[in-house]
Amino acid sequence: MLNYILLGAPQQGAEDAGGSGMMSIIMIVALIAIFYFFMIRPENKKRKETEKMIAALKKGDKVVTIGGIHGVVSQPKENTIIVKVDDGTKIEFNRSAISTVLVDKKNDEKVVKMDKSEKTEKSEKTEQSKDEK
């Protein structure tokens, strides 16, 4: 069956020739769709997220450059960023040289705890309104 699809039906007459061409077109379209959804689209999403991350850089963010240098943003500029690497050492990088922004785990835990407490408050309010009815 797979050979039939990939190689096309054996040509027995002029009527079968049209069906074989149609099958080839369908296979080419399917191949293009696979390339788009598995290769091109995820790459575009990742690029947009990186651009958004770089645009949102602010003073005090911990960053890692594409060269592996860790530091803290001390002064963001329009096209460059000054990164404080050590007490007296500051290096100026292009914004495109920033690979990742490190997130402080302590702040994340606080945000998660706040979200959980807000959810419990909301659930308590909904339970109270159900009891009143």
Side-chain angles (χ1 to χ4, degrees):
M1 179 69 176
L2 185 60
N3 287 337
Y4 180 79
I5 292 172
L6 294 176
L7 300 175
Q11 297 181 1
Q12 295 177 355
E15 297 172 2
D16 291 338
S20 176
M22 187 63 159
M23 185 60 101
S24 297
I25 293 173
I26 291 172
M27 292 300 289
I28 291 172
V29 169
L31 187 65
I32 291 171
I34 289 170
F35 270 108
Y36 177 75
F37 284 109
F38 288 112
M39 294 179 74
I40 298 170
R41 189 168 178 241
E43 185 65 31
N44 287 342
K45 279 186 171 182
K46 186 176 180 181
R47 183 177 38 86
K48 285 181 183 178
E49 289 175 5
T50 303
E51 289 174 358
K52 186 177 177 182
M53 174 197 67
I54 289 172
L57 285 173
K58 61 187 181 302
K59 185 176 180 177
D61 286 345
K62 294 180 181 179
V63 296
V64 179
T65 65
I66 57 176
I69 298 174
H70 292 249
V72 178
V73 175
S74 67
Q75 184 180 3
K77 295 182 179 180
E78 186 176 333
N79 294 324
T80 61
I81 292 179
I82 297 177
V83 177
K84 182 178 178 184
V85 180
D86 200 11
D87 290 331
T89 308
K90 293 182 181 178
I91 304 173
E92 188 170 358
F93 290 100
N94 286 337
R95 283 185 176 261
S96 61
I98 302 301
S99 172
T100 57
V101 176
L102 301 176
V103 180
D104 193 14
K105 291 181 181 179
K106 294 177 184 177
N107 291 338
D108 281 348
E109 290 174 3
K110 290 178 183 177
V111 171
V112 171
K113 288 179 183 177
M114 290 173 60
D115 289 342
K116 287 181 181 178
S117 65
E118 289 174 1
K119 288 179 183 177
T120 55
E121 290 175 6
K122 289 179 183 177
S123 63
E124 289 174 1
K125 289 179 182 178
T126 56
E127 288 177 7
Q128 289 176 356
S129 63
K130 287 180 183 178
D131 292 338
E132 291 175 359
K133 291 180 181 180

